[in-house]
């Protein structure tokens, strides 16, 4: 009864704060203060609800809302809180390489079934290419329908920003998959290179005789378990990190700069919803995924990905949650990290949308054939870039340069890149988590509803 009353009070206070914000009266300063107090009261009430639930996801939501409110009300203070988000992301990034190494070595060398690894890789790549291609098509369709780039006027200040990126040839993209120095790959956060090294190391270990293989396998298994516990400790800092990151973003950009690009932002989020409902949801039904359990498992990693706009921040928790859902560890260890380079559904959708937006903003008409060639280019060039800073913007710029499109409209995307990155990153994580379950079902390794109920 108390929780329902608290929830109702929170909704009432939030609604009142919104209503007060839109009032137009003489005492506008007083109204503004009242609105601000009511909004903060709403945040406090949501925090009180989170205390009762004792849920990390709830606290992450509180951090997101409080950060947005602080950035809006006191931007001068908020812009100094970026370090909180940076610290949290550093703690997460330090987990990635040892966690991937440990889980992949255990998953591959622990079973010594290299045929299964090859089969798993082939099935994963087929699934990844089909789903990411559909995401690209939905992005193309969405931007052509909304035509958000038409009538855009470039602000003078955007000309001062630039991206340091050059288009990569297909040959260079293939070369970049393979590490020349594993320490360098870890330092530069090249996830795919770490995965390739770990897989080759695990295959070599699988060929070593059992007496000599067992010590290294035990080390990798212990390392994997330790890094999962490490993740649990770091996750306690997630609400603080989210608070700092969101406060800085809102305080630095402000809300006014987003107004001219709301149509583009709305286009992408509507397209993401369409992708989830028309692609991911039917796939989950076809694969007989337990929807409620799956949504409960992915709620936390998807929330972290949305709040931090970082797939890496959600990777350790996503791996742990998929394993707890019933996906075998070796499948999780292979599919999820590989999907971070080959199955970026949200990023693929965004890249196709952004590329056509540039052409529309520049007043360039593209034929269907030209757009089809662009789609193929994005499909190839977007692989293996998960570890690159502003990876999606780099890919869009590279594609725009390849097709001789003016790059000036691209700088408009900087204003809302953080908000767009939040949505596309959340869908990336959601799509990769679903891929884990689908591939496990394809391998007959995921328990069916009947098997699960019989085991209880």
């Amino acid at each position: 009864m108390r929780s329902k009353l608290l929830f109702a009070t929170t909704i009432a206070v939030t609604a009142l704060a919104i209503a007060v914000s839109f009032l137009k009266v003489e005492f506008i300063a007083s109204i503004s203060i009242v609105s601000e107090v009511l909004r903060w009261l709403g945040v406090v009430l949501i925090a009180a609800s989170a205390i009762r639930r004792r849920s990390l996801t709830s606290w992450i939501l509180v951090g997101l809302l409080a950060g947005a409110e602080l950035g809006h009300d006191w931007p001068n203070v908020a812009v100094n809180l970026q370090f909180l988000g940076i610290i949290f992301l550093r703690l997460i990034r330090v987990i990635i390489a040892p966690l991937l190494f440990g889980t992949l070595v255990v998953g591959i060398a622990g079973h010594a079934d290299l045929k299964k690894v090859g089969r798993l890789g082939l099935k994963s790549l087929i699934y990844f290419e089909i789903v990411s291609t559909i995401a690209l098509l939905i992005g193309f369709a969405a931007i052509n329908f909304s035509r958000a780039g038409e009538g855009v006027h470039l602000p003078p200040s955007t000309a001062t920003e630039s991206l340091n990126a050059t288009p990569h040839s297909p040959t260079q993209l293939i070369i970049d998959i393979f590490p020349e120095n594993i320490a360098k790959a870890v330092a530069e956060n090249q996830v795919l290179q770490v995965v390739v090294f770990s897989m080759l190391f695990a295959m070599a270990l699988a060929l070593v005789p059992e007496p000599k293989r067992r010590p290294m396998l035990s080390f990798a298994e212990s390392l994997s378990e330790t890094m999962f516990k490490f993740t649990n400790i770091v996750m306690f800092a997630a609400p603080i990190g989210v608070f700092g990151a969101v406060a800085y973003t809102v305080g630095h950009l402000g809300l006014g700069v987003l107004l001219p690009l709301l149509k583009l932002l709305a286009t992408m989020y509507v397209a993401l919803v369409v992708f989830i409902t028309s692609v991911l949801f039917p796939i989950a039904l076809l694969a007989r995924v337990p929807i409620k359990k799956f949504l409960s498992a992915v709620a936390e990693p998807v929330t972290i990905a949305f709040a931090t706009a970082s797939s890496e921040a959600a990777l350790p928790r996503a791996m742990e949650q998929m394993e707890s859902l019933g996906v075998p560890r070796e499948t999780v260890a292979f599919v999820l990290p590989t999907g971070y380079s080959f199955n970026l559904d949200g990023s693929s959708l965004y890249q196709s949308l952004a590329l056509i937006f540039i052409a529309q903003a520049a007043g360039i008409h593209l034929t269907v054939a030209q757009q089809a060639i662009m789609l193929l280019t994005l499909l190839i060039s977007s692989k293996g870039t998960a570890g690159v800073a502003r990876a999606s913007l780099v890919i869009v710029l590279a594609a725009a340069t390849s097709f001789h499109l003016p790059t000036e409209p691209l700088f408009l995307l900087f204003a809302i890149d953080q908000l767009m990155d939040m949505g596309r990153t959340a869908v990336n994580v959601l799509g990769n988590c679903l891929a884990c379950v689908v591939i496990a079902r394809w391998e007959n390794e995921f328990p069916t509803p009947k098997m699960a109920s019989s085991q209880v």
Side-chain angles (χ1 to χ4, degrees), residues 94-148:
V94 79
I95 298 172
I96 303 299
L99 179 63
L100 291 181
F101 177 79
T103 52
L104 281 170
V105 169
V106 172
I108 296 174
H111 291 78
D113 187 359
L114 299 185
K115 290 183 179 180
K116 178 181 177 181
V117 174
R119 186 175 67 249
L120 199 65
L122 180 61
K123 289 180 177 180
S124 298
L125 289 177
I126 292 173
Y127 175 86
F128 292 161
E129 290 305 315
I130 292 174
V131 177
S132 60
T133 301
I134 295 174
L136 281 171
L137 290 171
I138 290 177
F140 272 111
I143 192 65
N144 277 295
F145 177 78
S146 71
R147 311 203 68 83

Side-chain angles (χ1 to χ4, degrees), residues 377-449:
T377 302
L378 287 174
L379 192 62
I380 297 171
S381 62
S382 61
K383 306 306 179 187
T385 58
V388 181
R390 283 179 171 174
S392 291
L393 285 172
V394 170
I395 295 302
V396 172
L397 177 60
T401 304
S402 299
F403 290 99
H404 306 290
L405 294 176
T407 56
E408 286 80 6
L410 176 69
F411 300 119
L412 277 175
L413 302 177
F414 276 98
I416 57 171
D417 185 61
Q418 180 69 19
L419 292 177
M420 299 187 85
D421 199 11
M422 292 165 73
R424 66 183 183 242
T425 302
V427 173
N428 288 343
V429 173
L430 177 64
N432 282 318
C433 287
L434 179 61
C436 280
V437 182
V438 171
I439 300 300
R441 179 75 77 191
W442 200 350
E443 285 284 297
N444 295 317
E445 294 179 335
F446 190 76
T448 61

Side-chain angles (χ1 to χ4, degrees), residues 284-453:
L285 292 179
L286 288 173
R288 293 173 296 158
V289 177
I291 302 297
K292 290 184 178 180
K293 290 184 178 179
F294 176 77
L295 291 177
S296 177
V298 301
E300 189 174 315
V302 168
T303 302
I304 292 172
F306 181 82
T308 63
S310 171
S311 297
E312 296 170 349
L315 178 58
R317 180 62 76 181
M319 295 179 73
E320 191 172 13
Q321 291 292 84
M322 289 302 98
E323 188 178 339
S324 66
L325 187 63
V327 181
R329 174 170 293 186
E330 59 268 22
T331 302
V332 174
F334 181 88
V335 175
L336 204 56
T338 307
Y340 267 47
S341 292
F342 289 96
N343 190 42
L344 301 175
D345 301 329
S347 294
S348 296
L349 188 151
Y350 164 79
Q351 288 161 14
S352 61
L353 183 146
L355 190 59
I356 302 302
F357 171 83
I358 290 173
Q360 291 178 356
I364 298 175
H365 175 72
L366 297 173
T367 65
V368 175
Q370 288 173 323
Q371 293 188 33
I373 295 174
M374 287 183 173
L375 186 149
L376 292 175
T377 302
L378 287 174
L379 192 62
I380 297 171
S381 62
S382 61
K383 306 306 179 187
T385 58
V388 181
R390 283 179 171 174
S392 291
L393 285 172
V394 170
I395 295 302
V396 172
L397 177 60
T401 304
S402 299
F403 290 99
H404 306 290
L405 294 176
T407 56
E408 286 80 6
L410 176 69
F411 300 119
L412 277 175
L413 302 177
F414 276 98
I416 57 171
D417 185 61
Q418 180 69 19
L419 292 177
M420 299 187 85
D421 199 11
M422 292 165 73
R424 66 183 183 242
T425 302
V427 173
N428 288 343
V429 173
L430 177 64
N432 282 318
C433 287
L434 179 61
C436 280
V437 182
V438 171
I439 300 300
R441 179 75 77 191
W442 200 350
E443 285 284 297
N444 295 317
E445 294 179 335
F446 190 76
T448 61
K450 292 183 179 179
M451 291 175 57
S453 60

Side-chain angles (χ1 to χ4, degrees), residues 225-279:
E225 293 291 340
T226 301
M227 295 316 296
F228 277 124
K229 298 300 182 183
F230 191 105
T231 302
N232 291 336
I233 296 172
V234 172
M235 281 302 114
F236 286 115
I240 299 174
V242 168
F243 168 76
V246 173
Y248 169 78
T249 301
V250 175
H252 180 65
L253 296 177
L255 299 178
V257 71
L258 306 180
L259 293 178
L261 299 173
L262 280 179
K263 188 175 182 181
L264 176 63
L265 190 65
T267 299
M268 193 199 74
Y269 273 91
V270 169
L272 290 176
V273 171
V274 169
F275 174 75
I276 293 172
T277 55
S278 64
V279 180

Side-chain angles (χ1 to χ4, degrees), residues 31-53:
I31 291 297
S32 177
I33 294 174
V34 171
S35 175
E36 183 178 325
V37 170
L38 288 174
R39 292 197 304 269
W40 276 109
L41 181 58
V43 173
V44 171
L45 289 174
I46 294 173
S49 176
I51 292 174
R52 292 182 60 86
R53 293 187 178 187

